[in-house]
Structure formats: C-alpha cells, structure tokens
C-alpha cells in the first residue's frame, strides 16, 4: 500500500499510531463503546432480539394491511423481511460485536456502511437503489435497539482494550466528540474544522492527538489503514514505511518520558523566578473532568462550559436538563474540587454548539442569537440554570461567568435575573451564596473597548481569546479556509488583551484568560509580561505552562513585552515573542 502524507491544522498535541476507523455521518449518530469480553454474548443477544422484534413488526404490518392496499406495499414489506433475514444483516454484525467488541448499534452501522459502499459500485441502477431499502431496515433495527436498555459499558481489561483506533471523519460535531470520552479512540482526523472550533477544544480536553482541516482525508484514507497523527505539526502519514514508523515511535516514547517528568510539578506552586504567584485553573466540559483537573494540580476550575450538559440530548424529547439535574452536576463538580473555586459559565449555546444537530441554524450563527443573547431571549431557561448554579454555591466556592456580553443593558439584565433567581430560591427555602461573584467573558472587541462599563458592574473578567480573535479578525473559527488568518499575535488582538488585563488591575478585580491562548506554552511569557496572573486551560496543558512559569523572570519579560505591545509589525512581533522564550 502506497504511503502518503497529508497536511492540515494541528489541534491536539502528541503522536498517535493506529488503524484508521472511518466514520460516516450515519455512524456518528449512534453510541460507540467497546464491550468487555464477559458482556459480548449479552450484546449479541441484544442485537438478535432487536432483529427478531423488527421481524415481528414487519409481520404485524403485513397482517394489518388494509384489503385495498396497493400490492406494492406488501411486496415492499416482503423485501424488507428478506433483507433482514440475509446473513449480511442478521449475522455479519454479530461477528463484528464478537471480534471487534463494538456495541450493537455501532456494529450494525459499520456493517451497513460497508454494504452501502459496495452498492455504490453496482452498475445496475435498480440494484443500486436497493441500498435505500437496506438503510431503512437498519434504521428500524436501530430504533428498537436504542429503545432497549444498553449495557453499562463495563471496564475493559488491558488486553481487551483495542487502543489503536484513530477516527477519520469528514466532520465531527462537539456533541459527537462527547461520545468518545470513554477513550475507545486514540486520535482524530477530520477533513474540515479550525484550530479553536469546539470540536478541536474537546479533542484537546480528551488529551488525544488530533489534526483537522485535512480536506480529503476521509476519502483518501481507507478503513483499517495504518496511520500516524503528528498532533504537533498537523500531519497525517498513511501507510508509513517501517523507517518512518520507527522514527515516530521514538518521538512518542520521548513525549511520554517528558510528560512523566512534568508530573513531578503537580504540587509545586506556580511562582515565577522572581517570586510572583500565578493561579492555574482548569477548563472542563463535564463534572467528570474535575478528576483530570485535580490530577494536573489545578487550583480550581476557571471555565466550566455548562452548555455541554445541554447538547446532544436528541433522545430526551428535545428537553433541557431540569433545575435538579443541573444542580446535581454543578454540585458534583463543586464537591469534587474540595473547596477550590469553580467558575460556571452560563449556557453558551449557538454558533458551532447547536443544542440539537437538526435545529435550524441562524443565517450567520456566530453573529446570531448565541450565549447570553439566547439566555435573555429565553428567560425561563436562564432562570432555571441560575437557580441550579446558585444552589450549588451552598456546597463550595462558585463563581458565575456570563458569556458574550457586549452591552450595558445585557449586563444589567443578567444581574437582575441573578437577583430574581436568588429571590425565588429564598422563597423556596434553598441555601446559596448570596455574595456569589459574577464575571463577564471579554470575547467581543466591543467589550474590550468599553471596559469601564464592565469593571463597574462586575466582580471579575475572563478573556475568551478564542472568540475575541474570531470577532476581531472577522474569521469564523470553524472555517478551515480562513484558518490561516486566525492569529493570536495580531497586534489588534494583543492590544485588546493587554487593555483588559490593565483595566482589571486598575479597578482591583481579577482578570483571567480562559481561551486556548492560556494553554499555549509559546505564549505563556507574553501573557505574564502583560500582567496576567490567572490562566485557565485544559488540564493536559497545565503542567507544561507551570514549567514555563517556573522558568520565567518578570524582571526581564515585562519590559520586553511592553516593547512588543508598541510594535505593529507582525513579523517583528512573532520574532520578539520567540525571543521571549529564550531569555
Ligand atoms: C473563548 O471564546 O475563548 C472561550 C473560552 O469560550 P468558547 O471557546 O467556549 O467559546
Ligand atoms: Mg467564547
């Protein structure tokens, strides 16, 4: 097999070596998990039972056919029953469960995808059309399967676990990415996507090498091809030669060694060489991530992206999580962090984080009814969330963070609604922290240019550099065609960040950076030089950033940074930032 190399955008560091697992859009709609050996036969039976149920359903359809029904209808049911009995449907997926340990839904979809590909090559148009019938039959089985209790994915033993699968797909939504949290996969490659799309962010939070914007990857790479992802360079090598494979294995081993060494810094306080303390917080998507946050030595949660509790709930009758359900999740995080602060950001839905994949999207979602705009338009949803967060504040230190604020009235309305939620809780007899800190994400240029409006009304600020860059440079963070224009070092971006840090300092309120810039070690010194003392990032990046802080001396960095901020030439800025790393 010929070896080839693809270049795209690096989004999650490290090297992954494994076999390609191609996912079609249909395959992405079902759950993916690996089934432990002792549960394999139960999983096989689950699929057999679902197939038997569909047989009975088809039989009932036949019996209930009205006398005057067109004859094609009966023939149609016959065809579906025949397809269902074919070993390609009734046997092959069972083998996939037994040999690859896939759960029933995943096994069925994998088989259907393989069959569909074969049908696409058939010349005869009549036969080619039968592909739709196969898909309809499969959908019937899937519907039954999804209605039946799934086995709880048990723990896999070391040798059952197949840690060599790399997902290759055209695109993966952030909600789909959440499905992969059971770590059945060791890497991700997608044709589209940008460095700071939420899909990329979730891949980073899983701490799995990933590369996006690979344009044709899902067409060029074949199922089970050996591939290497170089997540640092954004390179994918398919069918590597033994020599190339060896080189990457060596780099992989060296990375592992370096990471082990970093673990020694877990309990070391983050203090610069000249004695300045820096707070290092973690970004999380779900309460379970608190464990990683603590493992990495985080002093608290600087950003809990609460919208991930709301996404991908298609099976839940389009419902929102209730107040109690949310409260449980927030409380779980607060308790897990054992007294360390937990900053819960209110629902930031919209743009590349739709509530539901099927919902209508706005004309220009990134500029549409997103985040606080959505929440103020849906006061009941917002109040429910605010009550849940406030209730969790009775169990530890909680901070409330509001995304996408730009207008004074939005801040005032948000604060009024927080007061309203407090009054409702008082009436219902719930405890909460009446003095809860409320902060704003600074992620729209207008906010960074009108800071007095914010510092006057709020307790802290958190700079969302991902959106701040997107909106300052007018480039969609998800669109790989403009990904090359996404530049954190653009002088306009640097000015806005520096202004925000300064304004916070002057007003005596905390300012953090919680966008992806906070976790980029190449930018740690620059941010320190601007005066930043609170960083929030994915747990996987935290110890590398800490190491950089331990080696930094503010006495030399600060004057250099001032010079950088006076520079308007991108090339000079890039060189000076590089220079900062070696002084
Ligand atoms: C940001 O915009 O930088 C941020 C942290 O929020 P999100 O990435 O969730 O939009
Ligand atoms: Mg944002």
């Amino acid at each position: 097999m010929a070896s080839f190399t693809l270049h795209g955008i690096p989004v999650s560091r490290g090297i992954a070596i494994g076999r390609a697992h191609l996912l079609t859009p249909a395959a992405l709609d079902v759950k993916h998990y690996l089934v432990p050996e002792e549960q394999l036969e139960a999983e096989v039976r689950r699929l057999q039972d679902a197939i038997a149920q569909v047989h009975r359903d088809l039989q009932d359809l036949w019996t209930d056919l009205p006398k005057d029904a067109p004859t094609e209808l009966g023939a149609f049911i016959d065809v579906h029953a025949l397809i269902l009995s074919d070993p390609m449907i009734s046997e092959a997926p069972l083998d996939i469960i037994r040999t690859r340990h896939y759960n029933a839904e995943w096994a069925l979809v994998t088989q259907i995808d393989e069959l569909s590909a074969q049908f696409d090559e058939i010349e005869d148009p009549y036969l080619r059309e039968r592909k739709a019938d196969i898909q309809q039959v499969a959908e019937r089985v899937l519907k039954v399967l999804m209605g039946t209790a799934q086995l709880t994915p048990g723990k896999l033993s070391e040798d059952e676990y197949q840690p060599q699968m790399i997902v290759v797909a055209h695109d993966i939504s952030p909600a789909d990415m959440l499905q992969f949290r059971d770590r059945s996969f060791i890497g991700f490659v997608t044709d589209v996507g940008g460095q700071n799309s939420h899909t990329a962010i979730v891949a980073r939070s899983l701490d799995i090498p990933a590369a996006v914007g690979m344009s044709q990857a899902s067409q060029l790479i074949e199922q089970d091809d050996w591939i290497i992802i170089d997540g640092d360079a954004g390179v994918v090598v398919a069918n590597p030669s033994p020599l190339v494979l060896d080189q990457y294995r060596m780099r992989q081993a060296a990375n592992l060694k370096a990471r082990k060494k970093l673990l020694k810094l877990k309990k070391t306080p983050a203090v610069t060489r000249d004695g300045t303390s820096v707070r290092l917080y973690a970004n999380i998507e779900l309460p379970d991530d608190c464990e990683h946050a603590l493992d990495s030595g985080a002093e608290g949660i600087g950003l809990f992206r609460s919208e991930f509790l709301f996404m991908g709930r298609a099976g839940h009758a389009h419902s929102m999580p209730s107040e109690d359900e949310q409260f449980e999740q927030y409380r779980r995080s607060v308790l897990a962090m054992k007294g360390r602060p937990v900053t819960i950001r209110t629902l930031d839905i919209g743009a590349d984080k739709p509530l539901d994949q099927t919902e209508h999207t706005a004309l220009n979602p990134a500029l549409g009814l997103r985040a606080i705009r959505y929440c103020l338009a849906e006061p009941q949803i917002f109040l429910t969330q605010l009550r849940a967060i406030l209730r969790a504040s009775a169990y530890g230190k909680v901070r409330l963070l509001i995304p996408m604020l730009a207008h004074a009235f939005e801040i005032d309305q948000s604060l009024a609604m927080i007061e309203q939620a407090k009054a409702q809780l008082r009436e219902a007899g719930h405890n909460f922290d009446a003095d809860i800190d409320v902060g704003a994400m600074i992620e729209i240029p207008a906010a960074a240019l009108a800071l007095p409006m914010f510092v006057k009304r709020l307790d802290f600020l958190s700079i969302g550099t991902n959106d701040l860059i997107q909106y300052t440079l007018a480039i969609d963070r998800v669109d790989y065609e403009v990904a090359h224009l996404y530049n954190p070092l653009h002088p306009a971006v640097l000015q806005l960040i520096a202004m925000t840090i300064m304004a916070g300092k002057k007003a005596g309120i905390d300012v953090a950076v919680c966008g992806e810039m906070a976790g980029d070690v190449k930018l740690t010194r620059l941010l320190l030089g601007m005066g930043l003392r609170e960083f929030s990032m994915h747990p996987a990046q935290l110890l590398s950033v800490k190491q950089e802080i331990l080696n930094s001396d503010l006495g030399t960095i600060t004057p250099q940074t001032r010079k950088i901020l006076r520079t308007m030439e991108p090339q000079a800025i890039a060189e000076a930032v590089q220079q900062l790393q070696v002084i």
Side-chain angles (χ1 to χ4, degrees), residues 196-198 201 283 285 303 305 307-308 345 348 351-353 370-371 401 403-404 441-444 462-471 477 486 513-517 536 538:
N196 287 324
S197 66
H198 284 90
I201 288 173
N283 291 356
E285 275 90 40
L303 173 65
R305 288 184 162 95
E307 53 277 10
F308 282 85
R345 182 175 69 184
D348 181 2
D352 67 328
K353 290 180 289 193
R370 193 192 147 180
L401 179 59
M404 287 278 286
M441 295 279 296
I442 300 297
E443 52 185 348
I444 298 181
S462 193
I463 310 175
T465 51
N466 308 339
D467 280 316
L468 190 61
I469 298 169
Q470 148 163 283
Y471 296 123
R477 62 198 260 196
Y486 194 97
V513 168
C514 65
E516 298 298 296
M517 278 178 81
S536 192
H538 290 299

Side-chain angles (χ1 to χ4, degrees), residues 306-308 310-311 320 345-356 359 365 368-372 374-375 403-404:
S306 70
E307 53 277 10
F308 282 85
F310 290 68
M311 285 152 57
M320 299 276 177
R345 182 175 69 184
T346 56
L347 187 58
D348 181 2
I349 217 68
D352 67 328
K353 290 180 289 193
L355 269 183
D356 182 340
E359 82 190 11
L369 199 64
R370 193 192 147 180
I372 191 61
Y374 176 89
C375 286
M404 287 278 286

